PDB file of all heavy atoms in Angstrom:
ATOM      1  N   GLN B 286    -199.973 -68.851 -21.294  1.00 46.00           N
ATOM      2  CA  GLN B 286    -199.099 -67.874 -21.940  1.00 46.00           C
ATOM      3  C   GLN B 286    -197.631 -68.289 -21.868  1.00 46.00           C
ATOM      4  O   GLN B 286    -196.823 -67.847 -22.676  1.00 46.00           O
ATOM      5  CB  GLN B 286    -199.268 -66.494 -21.284  1.00 46.00           C
ATOM      6  CG  GLN B 286    -200.650 -65.902 -21.456  1.00 46.00           C
ATOM      7  CD  GLN B 286    -201.026 -65.697 -22.904  1.00 46.00           C
ATOM      8  OE1 GLN B 286    -200.154 -65.478 -23.737  1.00 46.00           O
ATOM      9  NE2 GLN B 286    -202.304 -65.778 -23.219  1.00 46.00           N
ATOM     10  N   ASP B 287    -197.302 -69.171 -20.893  1.00 49.00           N
ATOM     11  CA  ASP B 287    -195.918 -69.625 -20.763  1.00 49.00           C
ATOM     12  C   ASP B 287    -195.443 -70.306 -22.041  1.00 49.00           C
ATOM     13  O   ASP B 287    -194.293 -70.193 -22.426  1.00 49.00           O
ATOM     14  CB  ASP B 287    -195.785 -70.613 -19.593  1.00 49.00           C
ATOM     15  CG  ASP B 287    -195.822 -69.892 -18.263  1.00 49.00           C
ATOM     16  OD1 ASP B 287    -195.762 -68.646 -18.272  1.00 49.00           O
ATOM     17  OD2 ASP B 287    -195.928 -70.571 -17.240  1.00 49.00           O
ATOM     18  N   GLN B 288    -196.366 -71.043 -22.697  1.00 49.00           N
ATOM     19  CA  GLN B 288    -196.007 -71.778 -23.905  1.00 49.00           C
ATOM     20  C   GLN B 288    -195.538 -70.808 -24.994  1.00 49.00           C
ATOM     21  O   GLN B 288    -194.555 -71.061 -25.688  1.00 49.00           O
ATOM     22  CB  GLN B 288    -197.226 -72.587 -24.394  1.00 49.00           C
ATOM     23  CG  GLN B 288    -196.894 -73.595 -25.483  1.00 49.00           C
ATOM     24  CD  GLN B 288    -195.769 -74.560 -25.070  1.00 49.00           C
ATOM     25  OE1 GLN B 288    -195.758 -75.073 -23.968  1.00 49.00           O
ATOM     26  NE2 GLN B 288    -194.806 -74.761 -25.958  1.00 49.00           N
ATOM     27  N   ARG B 289    -196.228 -69.658 -25.097  1.00 46.00           N
ATOM     28  CA  ARG B 289    -195.856 -68.644 -26.089  1.00 46.00           C
ATOM     29  C   ARG B 289    -194.461 -68.112 -25.801  1.00 46.00           C
ATOM     30  O   ARG B 289    -193.699 -67.839 -26.707  1.00 46.00           O
ATOM     31  CB  ARG B 289    -196.856 -67.488 -26.082  1.00 46.00           C
ATOM     32  CG  ARG B 289    -198.220 -67.892 -26.562  1.00 46.00           C
ATOM     33  CD  ARG B 289    -199.177 -66.733 -26.489  1.00 46.00           C
ATOM     34  NE  ARG B 289    -198.738 -65.630 -27.311  1.00 46.00           N
ATOM     35  CZ  ARG B 289    -199.277 -64.416 -27.261  1.00 46.00           C
ATOM     36  NH1 ARG B 289    -200.266 -64.178 -26.429  1.00 46.00           N
ATOM     37  NH2 ARG B 289    -198.837 -63.447 -28.030  1.00 46.00           N
ATOM     38  N   GLU B 290    -194.173 -67.996 -24.510  1.00 47.00           N
ATOM     39  CA  GLU B 290    -192.847 -67.503 -24.125  1.00 47.00           C
ATOM     40  C   GLU B 290    -191.772 -68.511 -24.512  1.00 47.00           C
ATOM     41  O   GLU B 290    -190.737 -68.162 -25.058  1.00 47.00           O
ATOM     42  CB  GLU B 290    -192.828 -67.230 -22.617  1.00 47.00           C
ATOM     43  CG  GLU B 290    -191.467 -67.040 -22.010  1.00 47.00           C
ATOM     44  CD  GLU B 290    -190.664 -65.944 -22.661  1.00 47.00           C
ATOM     45  OE1 GLU B 290    -191.228 -65.058 -23.323  1.00 47.00           O
ATOM     46  OE2 GLU B 290    -189.439 -66.007 -22.521  1.00 47.00           O
ATOM     47  N   ILE B 291    -192.082 -69.815 -24.272  1.00 48.00           N
ATOM     48  CA  ILE B 291    -191.116 -70.862 -24.620  1.00 48.00           C
ATOM     49  C   ILE B 291    -190.883 -70.842 -26.135  1.00 48.00           C
ATOM     50  O   ILE B 291    -189.772 -70.975 -26.613  1.00 48.00           O
ATOM     51  CB  ILE B 291    -191.625 -72.245 -24.130  1.00 48.00           C
ATOM     52  CG1 ILE B 291    -191.619 -72.268 -22.596  1.00 48.00           C
ATOM     53  CG2 ILE B 291    -190.765 -73.373 -24.675  1.00 48.00           C
ATOM     54  CD1 ILE B 291    -192.448 -73.358 -21.988  1.00 48.00           C
ATOM     55  N   ASP B 292    -191.992 -70.632 -26.898  1.00 51.00           N
ATOM     56  CA  ASP B 292    -191.865 -70.562 -28.360  1.00 51.00           C
ATOM     57  C   ASP B 292    -191.085 -69.325 -28.804  1.00 51.00           C
ATOM     58  O   ASP B 292    -190.705 -69.202 -29.961  1.00 51.00           O
ATOM     59  CB  ASP B 292    -193.258 -70.475 -29.011  1.00 51.00           C
ATOM     60  CG  ASP B 292    -194.087 -71.703 -28.688  1.00 51.00           C
ATOM     61  OD1 ASP B 292    -193.490 -72.710 -28.257  1.00 51.00           O
ATOM     62  OD2 ASP B 292    -195.319 -71.656 -28.851  1.00 51.00           O
ATOM     63  N   GLY B 293    -190.922 -68.392 -27.904  1.00 52.00           N
ATOM     64  CA  GLY B 293    -190.222 -67.161 -28.255  1.00 52.00           C
ATOM     65  C   GLY B 293    -191.104 -66.173 -28.996  1.00 52.00           C
ATOM     66  O   GLY B 293    -190.615 -65.220 -29.602  1.00 52.00           O
ATOM     67  N   SER B 294    -192.428 -66.393 -28.950  1.00 52.00           N
ATOM     68  CA  SER B 294    -193.330 -65.541 -29.718  1.00 52.00           C
ATOM     69  C   SER B 294    -193.789 -64.311 -28.949  1.00 52.00           C
ATOM     70  O   SER B 294    -194.431 -63.454 -29.520  1.00 52.00           O
ATOM     71  CB  SER B 294    -194.548 -66.345 -30.163  1.00 52.00           C
ATOM     72  OG  SER B 294    -195.199 -66.875 -29.029  1.00 52.00           O
ATOM     73  N   ALA B 295    -193.482 -64.234 -27.677  1.00 67.00           N
ATOM     74  CA  ALA B 295    -193.924 -63.058 -26.914  1.00 67.00           C
ATOM     75  C   ALA B 295    -192.827 -62.644 -25.952  1.00 67.00           C
ATOM     76  O   ALA B 295    -192.135 -63.495 -25.399  1.00 67.00           O
ATOM     77  CB  ALA B 295    -195.182 -63.396 -26.139  1.00 67.00           C
ATOM     78  N   PRO B 296    -192.651 -61.320 -25.765  1.00 87.00           N
ATOM     79  CA  PRO B 296    -191.669 -60.916 -24.744  1.00 87.00           C
ATOM     80  C   PRO B 296    -192.181 -61.299 -23.358  1.00 87.00           C
ATOM     81  O   PRO B 296    -193.385 -61.464 -23.170  1.00 87.00           O
ATOM     82  CB  PRO B 296    -191.603 -59.402 -24.913  1.00 87.00           C
ATOM     83  CG  PRO B 296    -192.848 -59.012 -25.611  1.00 87.00           C
ATOM     84  CD  PRO B 296    -193.318 -60.198 -26.386  1.00 87.00           C
ATOM     85  N   VAL B 297    -191.267 -61.433 -22.419  1.00 90.00           N
ATOM     86  CA  VAL B 297    -191.685 -61.776 -21.050  1.00 90.00           C
ATOM     87  C   VAL B 297    -192.598 -60.675 -20.511  1.00 90.00           C
ATOM     88  O   VAL B 297    -193.626 -60.941 -19.891  1.00 90.00           O
ATOM     89  CB  VAL B 297    -190.448 -61.935 -20.137  1.00 90.00           C
ATOM     90  CG1 VAL B 297    -190.870 -62.249 -18.717  1.00 90.00           C
ATOM     91  CG2 VAL B 297    -189.538 -63.008 -20.673  1.00 90.00           C
TER      92      VAL B 297
END
Side-chain angles (χ1 to χ4, degrees):
Chain B
Q286 296 300 331
D287 285 350
Q288 191 55 44
R289 293 178 60 191
E290 166 56 20
I291 292 163
D292 299 343
S294 58
V297 178

